[in-house]
Amino acid sequence: ILLRAPATGSAQIRFTARDWDGFLLHPLMREAVAARQALEPHAPALTFSGGGGTRLLPGTPGSDGAVLFPVRAAKTELSAELRQDASGRVVCSCSAGGADEAASSAAASAGPWLARLFETLVLDLDGCELSFRSLRVEPDATLAL
C-alpha cells in the first residue's frame, strides 16, 4: 500500500487486564513517563508496577467504568484508578495501603499527575500516533481506548 497523503482518522484499541499491564511496562510508555517527569521539576517519582494487579471495572448506567492498576511512588505501593468523568476529562485517583502521612502525600500527588499524563499522552507507533480520547470498560471486561 502506498499512501499519497497522510492518513487521518481514529481507531479503538481494546486491552485485557494483562494487555494493560504490558502497555504500562512497554519501553515507549516508560520513555513517555520519563520525558514528562524530566519536564516537571516537582513530578512524583512514579513507576508502573509489573507482575499483574490490573483490574477492569465495567461501567454502570452513567459510568464508563474504570481501570485499577498498581503504581509505585518512590517506595510506596499505590493503587491507581483511571476513568473519565461525564465531561470527558481524565480522572485518576490513587490510594495507599498504609495510613502514614508519606503514603497519603504520595497518593495525593500521584493521582492528578497520572491524569495529566494520560490526558496528554501521545505515543508514536511508527507514524501512527496513539493518544487518549476516551476510556470505556466493556461488559466483557476489556478496556476500550
Side-chain angles (χ1 to χ4, degrees):
I1 298 175
L2 175 63
L3 297 177
R4 298 184 190 277
T8 59
S10 62
Q12 184 179 81
I13 298 175
R14 295 173 70 98
F15 294 93
T16 63
R18 185 174 174 185
D19 293 336
W20 182 254
D21 285 336
F23 172 71
L24 294 178
L25 296 175
H26 191 278
L28 286 176
M29 187 64 178
R30 287 182 188 215
E31 288 173 19
V33 170
R36 182 67 179 255
Q37 288 169 326
L39 291 174
E40 297 181 21
H42 301 292
L46 295 179
T47 56
F48 295 112
S49 303
T54 293
R55 291 184 311 149
L56 302 176
L57 305 178
T60 57
S63 164
D64 286 330
V67 57
L68 276 71
F69 55 94
V71 64
R72 181 181 287 273
K75 295 182 180 184
T76 304
E77 288 291 333
L78 303 174
S79 176
E81 179 181 328
L82 184 68
R83 59 184 172 78
Q84 265 184 305
D85 67 14
S87 69
R89 300 276 317 198
V90 177
V91 177
C92 188
S93 58
C94 292
S95 59
D100 65 26
E101 190 174 324
S104 296
S105 176
S109 66
W113 191 88
L114 283 167
R116 286 190 307 278
L117 171 74
F118 283 104
E119 196 165 54
T120 60
L121 178 68
V122 177
L123 297 177
D124 184 349
L125 306 176
D126 288 333
C128 293
E129 291 184 340
L130 172 66
S131 63
F132 190 101
R133 179 181 288 168
S134 66
L135 179 150
R136 184 178 65 254
V137 179
E138 301 287 348
D140 64 354
T142 57
L143 175 66
L145 293 180

